């Protein structure tokens, strides 16, 4: 029987407007690598992208790719072992992923990197000083597993130059992740080589996720695969239980695209779908950091065909800050906060004025402390929450659009005393005063026995290496004092269709749905609850994209 997943309006006699071997839905890292791998397997490929730009969240990201045992680690003198990586990821997954899938990921990721470097202009560089997110855990590493895609010249894309998605945050500062680290992007923002960055911007160079997506796009174009932008996949079409195509929406018309060998869902997470977030996530996700196209379309399509789901309560959590009025793709821009809370002279407090977490901890695990629940009061104790800083912070460090030397932005809540600041933000003044008094003692002593801020190598990476005695701890004592709200955000969700080691979408009985694959944030994330290191989301997305594309090209599943 030939039918669509939702309706019977589609008849077999109807012609495809386009017929290929493999249809890929989404142009982020997962989709682009799936398309390249399918092409390498001699498949004719179509890439559908809902928005009018190529690259998805991947293109606005840091572009870092986490791959244990990658060959570039030798260049920075760090050794790795499969068993160490396996033990480490398994611990962080916290029982929410499947052992065989974790193995498959770790076995395949280094091969995937070789494949991507062979197929694209990207030459990755190991980031020797970017630690894993729990570097002190057994199997963790002080650096080297995170790979930097470097810079990319958008002029090589020809007419596609302006169709590559640009980050609203890093889009104009072309510095590689290695350079950003060497130049002290967080701790010495005023010392960045602004002249060089302006020159590079004029030249059309991009960095981070722009460089990664740019390199992937170039490889697709070189193979004659022109992504179809402005085309939203709406429905999977099925014949005799096999997925054979997609109904997509282009402007005000439907088009039917046949997929002789398979369809790869690579449509990202569901973080912009408030309804799905409310129904599934383990905490409120009100301020997603990705572009707003990630609405859970792929998840919905997989569910329509009876896919099993996994890891649905998890996200790649990230505390978010906002500059009022800033927008991206006509929606509010929520900026992930990676450093403000890690630098000296800052704390995060709840409405009682209390600290509740190591503020410098990795963004994914940190966010979970915001969801702590008081069963008696029946409320989340740590929401809302505020970052409190003093003038010493603003004299040295950047904050969102502010760089030292600029006028103090109006969106920062400012007060001459901590008492007045507490009143302005609705926080208990006595609680805040006691917290700051205690924290200031820790800052002078260089150790935080309450929450262990500034203890891990990870914390130090986002701190100020020149600040003594601890790169993450500085007193809050010089007025004026300032506050900004911290919101629950995520750089993407990571729950979705359960897959096997070839990225085939599974039914609840464990059998694959023939012809259907999932990779990236639309699949049940292989790292479960955890975030092993910088680039672990894209590393997994590219790995399962590679597996999906390779397998689909064979038409064996
Ligand atoms: C500021 C920021 C920094 C980050 N830095 C890093 C980092 O350095 N390293 C890292 O590993 N991760 C990072 N992340 C997270 C990472 O970017 C994402 O987890 C990852 O890119 C997801 O890849 P993906 O291919 O699954 O989806 P995406 O890159 O989100 O791509 C999905 C695409 O599918 C499209 N789509 C959706 N629905 C449809 C449909 N119905 N039809 C057609 N197309 C559709 C979307 O428009 C989108 O373009 C960062 C994220 C942010 C926001």
């Amino acid at each position: 029987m030939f039918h669509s997943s939702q309706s019977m309006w589609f008849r077999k006699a109807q012609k495809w407007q386009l017929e290929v071997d493999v249809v890929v839905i989404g142009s982020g890292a997962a989709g682009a690598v799936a398309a390249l791998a399918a092409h390498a397997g001699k498949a004719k490929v179509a890439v559908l992208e809902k928005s009018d730009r190529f690259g998805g969240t991947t293109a606005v990201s840091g572009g870092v790719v986490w791959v244990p045992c990658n060959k570039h680690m030798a260049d920075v003198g760090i050794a790795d072992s499969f068993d160490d990586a396996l033990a480490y990821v398994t611990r962080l997954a916290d029982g929410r992923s499947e052992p065989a899938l974790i193995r498959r990921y770790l076995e395949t990721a280094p091969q995937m990197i070789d494949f991507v470097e062979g197929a694209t202009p990207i030459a990755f560089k190991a980031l020797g000083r970017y630690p894993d997110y729990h570097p002190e855990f057994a199997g963790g590493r002080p650096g080297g597993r995170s790979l930097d895609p470097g810079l990319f010249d958008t002029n090589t894309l020809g007419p596609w130059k302006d169709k590559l998605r640009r980050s609203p945050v890093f889009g104009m500062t072309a510095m590689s992740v290695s350079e950003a680290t060497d130049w002290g992007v967080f701790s010495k923002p005023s010392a960045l080589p602004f002249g060089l960055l302006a020159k590079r911007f004029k030249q059309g160079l991009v960095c981070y996720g722009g460089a990664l997506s740019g390199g992937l796009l170039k490889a697709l174009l070189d193979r004659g695969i022109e992504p179809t932008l402005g085309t939203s996949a709406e429905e999977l079409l099925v014949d005799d239980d096999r997925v054979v195509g997609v109904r997509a929406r282009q402007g005000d018309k439907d088009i039917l695209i046949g997929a002789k060998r398979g369809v790869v869902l690579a449509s990202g997470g569901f973080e912009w779908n408030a309804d799905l977030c409310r129904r599934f996530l383990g905490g409120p996700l009100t301020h997603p950091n990705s572009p707003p196209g990630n609405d859970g379309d792929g998840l919905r399509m997989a569910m329509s065909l009876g896919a099993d789901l996994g890891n649905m309560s998890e996200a790649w959590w990230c505390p978010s800050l906002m500059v009022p009025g800033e927008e991206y793709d006509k929606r509010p821009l929520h900026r992930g906060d990676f450093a403000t809370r890690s630098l000296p002279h800052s704390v995060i407090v709840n409405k009682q004025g209390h600290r509740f977490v190591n503020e410098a901890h990795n963004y994914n695990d940190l966010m979970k402390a915001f969801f702590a629940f008081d069963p008696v009061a029946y409320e989340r104790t740590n929401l809302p929450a505020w970052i409190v800083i003093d003038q010493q912070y603003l004299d040295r460090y950047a904050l969102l659009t502010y760089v030292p030397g600029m006028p103090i932005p109006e969106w920062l809540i400012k007060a001459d005393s901590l008492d007045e600041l507490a009143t302005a933000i609705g926080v208990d003044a006595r609680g805040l005063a006691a917290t700051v008094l205690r924290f200031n003692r820790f800052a002078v002593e260089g150790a935080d026995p309450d929450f262990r801020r500034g203890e891990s190598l990870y914390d130090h990476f986002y701190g100020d290496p020149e600040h003594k005695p601890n790169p993450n701890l500085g007193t809050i004592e010089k007025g004026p004092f300032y506050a900004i709200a911290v919101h629950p955000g995520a750089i993407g969700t990571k729950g979705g269709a359960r897959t096997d080691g070839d990225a085939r979408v599974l039914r609840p009985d464990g059998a694959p749905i023939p012809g259907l694959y999932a990779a990236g944030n639309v699949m049940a994330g292989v790292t479960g609850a955890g975030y092993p290191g910088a680039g672990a989301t894209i590393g997994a997305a590219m790995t399962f994209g590679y597996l999906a594309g390779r397998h689909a090209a064979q038409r064996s599943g």
Side-chain angles (χ1 to χ4, degrees):
M1 187 180 64
F2 198 52
H3 65 277
S4 69
S5 55
Q6 288 168 358
S7 65
M8 294 294 292
W9 65 271
F10 180 75
R11 285 181 296 116
K12 192 165 188 171
Q14 209 146 3
K15 283 223 176 78
W16 304 113
Q17 270 88 8
L18 171 71
E19 191 170 22
V20 293
D21 297 315
V22 177
V23 172
V24 176
I25 301 174
S27 69
V33 174
L36 290 173
H39 180 273
K42 309 264 179 289
K44 189 176 174 203
V45 183
V47 177
L48 312 182
E49 169 52 53
K50 174 178 176 172
S51 75
D52 61 358
R53 293 282 184 279
F54 177 92
T57 316
T58 309
V60 306
S61 76
V64 177
V65 185
W66 192 78
V67 175
C69 301
N70 74 70
K71 65 182 177 204
H72 301 293
M73 290 179 78
D75 301 339
V76 292
I78 297 177
D80 204 350
S81 89
F82 179 84
D83 288 344
D84 276 1
L86 183 64
Y88 176 69
V89 176
T90 303
R91 173 166 179 194
L92 294 191
D94 201 26
R96 287 168 186 261
S97 181
E98 296 174 44
L101 210 61
I102 297 176
R103 275 189 169 275
R104 184 73 161 159
Y105 163 43
L106 296 173
E107 279 160 10
T108 314
Q111 284 172 38
M112 175 281 291
I113 287 296
D114 292 348
F115 169 76
V116 169
E117 288 190 317
T120 73
I122 303 167
F124 289 106
K125 201 171 154 186
L127 293 160
R129 285 191 286 133
Y130 206 154
D132 283 351
Y133 285 2
H134 285 278
E136 290 85 13
F137 280 11
R141 287 292 180 276
R145 288 173 171 167
S146 298
L147 297 169
D148 174 8
L151 299 179
F152 176 76
D153 183 353
T154 55
N155 296 302
T156 61
L157 296 174
W160 276 80
K161 178 177 174 178
D162 294 329
K163 293 178 187 162
L164 174 66
R165 185 176 280 284
R166 301 293 203 282
S167 159
V169 181
F170 327 118
M172 292 174 70
T173 48
M175 56 183 149
S176 67
V177 186
S178 326
E179 288 174 337
T181 310
D182 291 346
W183 293 342
V185 67
F186 305 122
S187 58
K188 285 189 281 188
S190 307
L192 293 176
F194 290 106
L196 174 67
L197 295 177
K199 192 169 143 213
R200 286 179 175 178
F201 176 65
K202 258 198 187 152
Q203 283 173 339
L205 300 184
V206 291
C207 66
Y208 295 7
L212 179 64
S213 288
L216 292 169
L217 174 57
K218 174 83 174 91
L220 290 173
L221 297 174
D222 286 349
R223 285 157 181 74
I225 305 168
E226 288 220 355
T228 314
L229 303 181
T231 303
S232 172
E234 300 285 317
E235 187 174 10
L236 298 168
L237 303 172
V238 177
D239 186 12
D240 271 345
D241 284 342
R242 185 181 180 84
V243 175
V244 293
V246 171
R247 176 175 67 82
R249 195 82 187 148
Q250 211 170 46
D252 57 2
K253 61 178 199 301
D254 278 323
I255 55 168
L256 304 178
I257 304 160
K260 287 189 271 189
R261 303 189 202 172
V263 172
V264 182
L265 299 172
S267 50
F270 57 86
E271 60 273 8
W272 279 92
N273 188 318
D275 184 41
L276 291 174
C277 288
R278 197 172 34 73
R279 277 157 56 195
F280 289 114
L281 291 176
L285 198 180
T286 51
H287 290 68
N289 308 134
S290 56
N294 289 3
D295 223 5
D297 295 356
L299 173 66
R300 184 179 45 74
M301 287 186 271
M303 286 165 79
S304 297
L305 294 193
D308 198 9
L309 304 179
N311 212 32
M312 290 301 288
S313 63
E314 291 293 339
W316 306 103
W317 298 106
C318 188
S320 296
L321 308 178
M322 281 183 81
V323 174
E326 271 195 326
E327 288 195 348
Y328 185 65
D329 276 5
K330 301 194 179 118
R331 299 292 290 272
L333 174 65
H334 310 135
R335 293 168 177 251
D337 180 35
F338 301 98
T340 311
R341 57 197 163 73
S342 305
L343 289 162
H345 315 297
S346 71
V347 282
I348 296 180
V349 294
N350 60 19
K351 57 180 173 289
Q352 281 140 4
H354 296 158
R355 293 177 68 214
F356 53 89
V357 68
N358 166 5
E359 296 89 343
H361 204 57
N362 80 66
Y363 36 99
N364 179 63
D365 299 335
L366 169 90
M367 197 80 254
K368 294 178 184 180
F370 285 67
F371 302 146
F373 191 71
D374 176 346
V376 178
Y378 212 77
E379 63 174 23
R380 291 197 170 81
T381 320
N382 300 329
L383 285 174
W386 300 86
I387 297 183
V388 171
I389 57 174
D390 74 352
Q391 187 59 39
Q392 298 181 86
Y393 180 103
L394 291 185
D395 288 344
R396 291 174 178 73
Y397 310 123
L399 175 51
L400 302 176
T401 53
Y402 166 86
V403 178
M406 286 169 64
I408 303 297
E410 282 181 7
W411 42 260
L412 263 179
I413 298 167
K414 176 180 170 186
D416 288 334
S417 69
L418 279 172
D419 251 22
E420 286 169 69
L421 188 74
T423 307
I425 58 178
V427 161
D428 181 75
R430 280 170 52 180
L432 181 62
T435 296
V436 169
L437 191 69
R438 188 172 169 81
F439 182 76
N440 285 352
R441 181 157 56 80
F442 296 165
V444 171
E445 291 166 358
D448 167 22
D450 285 352
F451 297 104
R452 301 171 60 189
R453 171 168 167 182
E455 204 177 284
S456 167
L457 204 56
Y458 172 86
D459 299 7
H460 296 178
F461 181 78
Y462 282 100
D464 179 352
E466 287 172 14
H467 185 87
K468 306 288 175 218
N470 188 301
N472 302 104
L473 300 172
T475 55
I476 298 177
E477 58 181 338
K478 183 181 169 196
F481 300 91
Y482 306 89
I484 183 168
V486 200
H487 305 283
I491 56 176
T493 54
K494 55 168 156 170
R498 251 187 86 219
T499 64
D500 68 5
D502 287 315
R504 292 185 294 180
V505 174
L506 302 175
R507 294 199 172 96
D509 65 4
I513 297 177
L516 187 62
Y517 298 81
N521 288 348
V522 70
M523 71 176 266
V526 64
T527 63
Y531 202 138
T537 98
I538 294 177
M542 291 170 75
T543 302
F544 283 90
Y546 172 68
L547 287 163
R550 209 172 61 168
H551 196 272
Q554 297 162 11
R555 203 209 193 272
S556 47

